[in-house]
Amino acid sequence: TQLLEQSPQFLSIQEGENLTVYCNSSSVFSSLQWYRQEPGEGPVLLVTVVTGGEVKKLKRLTFQFGDARKDSSLHITAAQPGDTGLYLCAGDGSSNTGKLIFGQGTTLQVKP
Amino acid sequence: AAGVIQSPRHLIKEKRETATLKCYPIPRHDTVYWYQQGPGQDPQFLISFYEKMQSDKGSIPDRFSAQQFSDYHSELNMSSLELGDSALYFCASSLRRGVDFVVETQYFGPGTRLLVL
């Protein structure tokens, strides 16, 4: 069974601080996706990483896919209150049908 | 850009009743996925369809069934509802490309919040 372990599960920081969220697995994924979810809403895609070692940047967010394609990280620089939300990593399941396996999520609170 | 549409957005049912959730994928997307997200939990895969055929099955109860229609929209039918079925139900869509069926990124709808009383 493929599992994604996401850490930390909760994070409360001050505006302007940096943070990193980790997503780890013992399984290899052909791709990993990062989503942000607001309460009561659907997950919104932030990025998809496909190539081992790949780094993608989205404004103050930097995403990295591990060389072995078993782990990924999300780094936020100078966090702002608008970054508050639930961040989910998700990998494609082993069935090659596209179903996603989600991590437990990281609830981020950025205080002004 | 058009997004995934789900209806209804909110639904309240009594125990043992039935419910039907609808999903309209992004235009030209041929694959639909259903996920269930309980309070404070991550989304769990239920079932998926590609070109109107079931392509994968996850932790979907036997009381639930789903199908994808000729216009690619999908419906999740839930019978004999139980209190534990209260959750957010998400539909996502994607497009498979090429002979290798490389699956593209999934885009999620806003979800249907089901409350079973």
Side-chain angles (χ1 to χ4, degrees), chain B residues 8-80:
Chain B
R9 290 295 310 276
H10 304 273
L11 191 58
I12 300 176
K13 290 285 184 179
E14 300 278 340
K15 277 171 49 178
R16 292 180 288 279
E17 285 190 324
T18 61
T20 297
L21 309 186
K22 297 185 178 182
C23 169
Y24 298 86
I26 292 172
R28 296 188 300 110
H29 281 194
D30 52 18
T31 307
V32 168
Y33 309 83
W34 286 95
Y35 294 85
Q36 178 192 57
Q37 186 176 29
Q41 298 181 358
D42 55 282
Q44 296 292 315
F45 171 75
L46 292 178
I47 195 167
S48 63
F49 294 87
Y50 165 66
E51 284 291 344
K52 292 149 281 183
M53 298 284 289
Q54 180 181 309
S55 62
D56 203 351
K57 197 171 181 180
S59 51
I60 183 169
D62 292 339
R63 300 177 288 107
F64 294 5
S65 64
Q67 57 181 322
Q68 185 179 31
F69 295 85
S70 58
D71 64 351
Y72 294 100
H73 94 272
S74 178
E75 294 184 4
L76 177 65
N77 299 292
M78 310 160 71
S79 62
S80 302

Side-chain angles (χ1 to χ4, degrees), chain A residues 7-58:
Chain A
S7 63
Q9 291 193 25
F10 301 95
L11 194 54
S12 181
I13 61 173
Q14 292 294 136
E15 181 177 2
E17 292 184 359
N18 302 331
L19 66 116
T20 302
V21 178
Y22 300 93
C23 183
N24 297 301
S25 176
S26 58
S27 304
V28 174
F29 289 91
S30 59
S31 69
L32 271 177
Q33 302 175 17
W34 285 91
Y35 291 86
R36 179 177 160 181
Q37 185 178 21
E38 300 294 333
E41 298 292 329
V44 175
L45 179 71
L46 296 174
V47 78
T48 300
V49 286
V50 178
T51 306
E54 182 177 7
V55 177
K56 282 190 174 179
K57 292 193 175 185
L58 185 65

Side-chain angles (χ1 to χ4, degrees), chain B residues 95-106:
Chain B
L95 175 67
R96 290 192 177 185
R97 295 183 188 273
V99 296
D100 293 327
F101 294 108
V102 174
V103 180
E104 294 289 323
T105 299
Q106 291 180 37

